[in-house]
Amino acid sequence: MSSESASLARLSMSLPADLFRQLDTMVAERGLPSRSQLIAELIRHALAEHESLTRPDEMLAGTITLVYRSERGRVRHLLSQTQAHYLKEVISSQHVVLEDDQSLEVLLVQGPAVRLKELCDAIRRVRGVQQLELVTTTSLLPPLYEPESGHSNPIGGI
């Protein structure tokens, strides 16, 4: 028995027949090897969402994906100002111009669930934002920078 299978727990469940068929269709369309893989993914997503709702101080990492109308840069400027108020939470941002004067932006974020929710709410208030989705995980990014104590400047004290 492999160590992976030794750490697995078996779950038996009953579903309405139509829901079961839809699940199997989704597994096939995604090309997944088993229902278990899809169900585990769905459970992980639900648990991360539950953490964000029930434990506001829980640290989460994730992405915020938004679509907005560019409107000659006004919206982009307001989004930049909003993100500036959340410098600790916004790790990076990627922007791409879409058709019909629309833009897609993806923010990599990490912080307490309550702060990520506040950030999403602030972005939603920017006129021109058409879609926004926060996807989180309880797995965290490693610390990006931790100053080492007791070390002098390596360039001879400059």
Side-chain angles (χ1 to χ4, degrees):
M1 179 181 276
S2 73
S3 63
E4 181 181 324
S5 62
S7 66
L8 297 177
R10 194 162 290 282
L11 168 71
S12 176
M13 60 191 303
S14 299
L15 296 173
D18 189 48
L19 186 58
F20 185 81
R21 281 190 295 278
Q22 289 175 342
L23 181 72
D24 273 351
T25 299
M26 189 175 184
V27 168
E29 288 174 348
R30 287 178 149 189
L32 298 174
S34 67
R35 289 182 204 108
S36 294
Q37 188 170 344
L38 177 61
I39 291 170
E41 177 187 334
L42 295 172
I43 290 171
R44 281 186 202 100
H45 180 74
L47 288 172
E49 184 177 351
H50 179 74
E51 290 284 324
S52 71
L53 295 173
T54 60
R55 295 185 182 98
D57 296 328
E58 183 78 17
M59 288 292 287
L60 301 173
T63 59
I64 299 173
T65 303
L66 56 141
V67 175
Y68 57 90
R69 290 230 172 260
S70 298
E71 298 180 24
R72 299 180 301 277
R74 182 188 68 78
V75 176
R76 200 158 149 74
H77 176 72
L78 291 171
L79 289 171
S80 293
Q81 286 181 327
T82 302
Q83 291 173 35
H85 293 297
Y86 294 87
L87 284 178
K88 287 183 178 179
E89 291 78 22
V90 178
I91 295 166
S92 72
S93 170
Q94 184 165 0
H95 172 263
V96 65
V97 176
L98 302 174
E99 296 176 330
D100 302 323
D101 193 37
Q102 291 184 315
S103 290
L104 171 73
E105 191 160 343
V106 179
L107 308 176
L108 176 60
V109 294
Q110 180 168 284
V114 67
R115 286 289 290 170
L116 299 184
K117 183 186 178 311
E118 289 170 6
L119 172 57
C120 288
D121 291 344
I123 291 171
R124 282 187 179 100
R125 287 191 290 272
V126 174
R127 186 175 173 165
V129 172
Q130 298 174 320
Q131 291 176 274
L132 184 143
E133 182 178 21
L134 170 65
V135 176
T136 60
T137 179
T138 53
S139 298
L140 298 177
L141 297 165
L144 299 175
Y145 177 77
E146 289 185 25
E148 296 181 32
S149 60
H151 291 278
S152 62
N153 188 322
I155 309 177
I158 296 179

